[in-house]
Amino acid sequence: MTENSSATAFAPATVANLGVGFDILGLAVNGLGDTVHVERQATSGVIIADIIGDNGKLPRDPQKNTAAVAAAATLRLLGADFGVRLTLEKGLPLASGLGSSAASAVAAAVAVNALAGELLPRHELLPACLEAEAVVSGYHADNVGPSLLGGITLITGTSADDIRHLPIPPSLHLALITPAIAVPTVEARAVLPQSISLHDMVHQTGAVARVIDALYRGDIHTLALAMEADIVVEPARAHLIPHLDALRFAAKRAGALGLVISGAGPTLAAICIDQTIAKRVADAVCAVYESDGITCTAHVSSVDEAGAKVINVVA
Ligand code: HSE
């Protein structure tokens, strides 16, 4: 095994679900994400050296911290005879619907693998990332999958065969609007129905099929409509996102083709055909929040095709 002494990796934010594809569809977002730096130590296990940018909110206990859990699981996968000291730099707000815990886990797994000379192919890190994600927000791969592998992914399990990259329409731009309210994923999952009617199942699977077909045809108008056609998850969560109808209306009036809850929320993702429209949409949605005294941050972005990357390795 290569004996690198330290490594740093970045993992992007993600928009999970793509509206209707609960727990099976997600995309990686350009430019936003978390960074993890790991240093080799002779003793086994993971020590959290520092966490930057979380205002002291994340657990420092390695058993409960998603980055540390992913690092420990990756060390196990590698059969490593060393441990790591880990520093997590949060670029993402917590409980925001941008796959914050997943990005921390993925950056940690990729950094630890880089320490070992990239011994494992990227997709083999997926179980380690999933184990970490399960600690904080449940066992679902629609954040860790695209954060690890990039692009738009259909992800229905934990093995390489369960992950499919879907085509990225070239004109797909996103306005991502995050209000200053936290919606922990576990709470947003607790409000979901445990069973649905046959009628709703037919509608929902039809909408997922339309999303995938639209991606293959590069038809972002149909894509946006199909993403919004969720009659199961969004209605159950709508009360967690203040003013959702008014926000969708404002986004569309400003030129968005559609607007969905990003992951478990509260971030909203609007589908737009170019950057200028996406900026206008972001401003319009923020204005609705701000008129109610809720501050928000917005980003205009596109799909990150590459996913997590190693930034630096020191031999
Ligand atoms: N699919 C998950 C959910 C994503 O909607 O609960 C959480 O980020």
Side-chain angles (χ1 to χ4, degrees):
M1 195 180 294
T2 312
E3 298 271 318
N4 294 320
S5 63
S6 71
T8 307
F10 169 88
T14 42
V15 172
N17 298 340
L18 304 189
V20 79
F22 180 70
D23 278 3
I24 57 168
L25 291 173
L27 61 78
V29 173
N30 255 323
L32 294 172
D34 287 355
T35 304
V36 168
H37 175 73
V38 288
E39 285 164 34
R40 176 188 291 261
Q41 59 175 13
T43 46
S44 62
V46 178
I47 292 172
I48 298 180
D50 200 4
I51 302 179
I52 301 158
D54 71 327
N55 292 325
K57 289 188 180 148
L58 286 174
R60 268 54 184 172
D61 175 352
Q63 313 282 339
K64 296 184 181 147
N65 180 286
T66 173
V69 173
T74 307
L75 288 168
R76 274 201 315 279
L77 281 178
L78 288 162
D81 59 359
F82 60 89
V84 295
R85 276 171 59 82
L86 176 155
T87 301
L88 166 62
E89 198 177 324
K90 288 300 295 177
L92 296 175
L94 313 182
S96 63
L98 286 169
S100 176
S101 55
S104 298
V106 169
V110 171
V112 170
N113 192 38
L115 210 51
E118 310 240 13
L119 210 56
L120 296 171
R122 194 54 73 85
H123 66 262
E124 285 189 21
L125 300 175
L126 190 67
C129 301
L130 268 171
E131 184 180 325
E133 180 77 317
V135 171
V136 290
S137 70
Y139 204 79
H140 55 91
D142 50 343
N143 293 113
V144 290
S147 185
L148 183 65
L149 302 166
I152 304 178
T153 57
L154 167 67
I155 178 152
T156 52
T158 57
S159 72
D161 284 350
D162 297 320
I163 307 165
R164 288 279 174 268
H165 272 113
L166 300 172
I168 305 168
S171 59
L172 179 57
H173 288 76
L174 302 162
L176 300 169
I177 306 99
T178 308
I181 48 177
V183 176
T185 300
V186 271
E187 286 171 30
R189 291 176 86 79
V191 301
L192 299 177
Q194 292 306 302
S195 58
I196 61 171
S197 68
L198 187 63
H199 169 272
D200 288 0
M201 190 274 282
V202 171
H203 174 98
Q204 203 78 358
T205 50
V208 172
R210 282 203 293 144
V211 165
I212 291 169
D213 172 63
L215 286 171
Y216 273 97
R217 291 186 298 100
D219 175 356
I220 74 165
H221 290 80
T222 303
L223 171 69
L225 287 176
M227 284 170 67
E228 277 190 334
D230 170 15
I231 59 168
V232 175
V233 176
E234 185 185 299
R237 286 179 169 169
H239 66 284
L240 301 172
I241 318 284
H243 315 300
L244 182 55
D245 288 343
L247 296 162
R248 181 169 275 141
F249 182 77
K252 289 191 175 173
R253 200 173 45 190
L257 301 177
L259 175 136
V260 293
I261 301 173
S262 175
T267 292
L268 299 173
I271 306 302
C272 304
I273 54 167
D274 65 38
Q275 216 174 324
T276 309
I277 293 175
K279 171 80 179 78
R280 202 162 65 215
V281 167
D283 290 346
V285 175
C286 276
V288 175
Y289 275 126
E290 280 157 11
S291 69
D292 191 32
I294 300 171
T295 55
C296 70
T297 51
H299 297 277
V300 167
S301 191
S302 53
V303 178
D304 174 350
E305 291 188 40
K309 30 190 165 295
V310 177
I311 296 173
N312 183 38
V313 180
V314 176

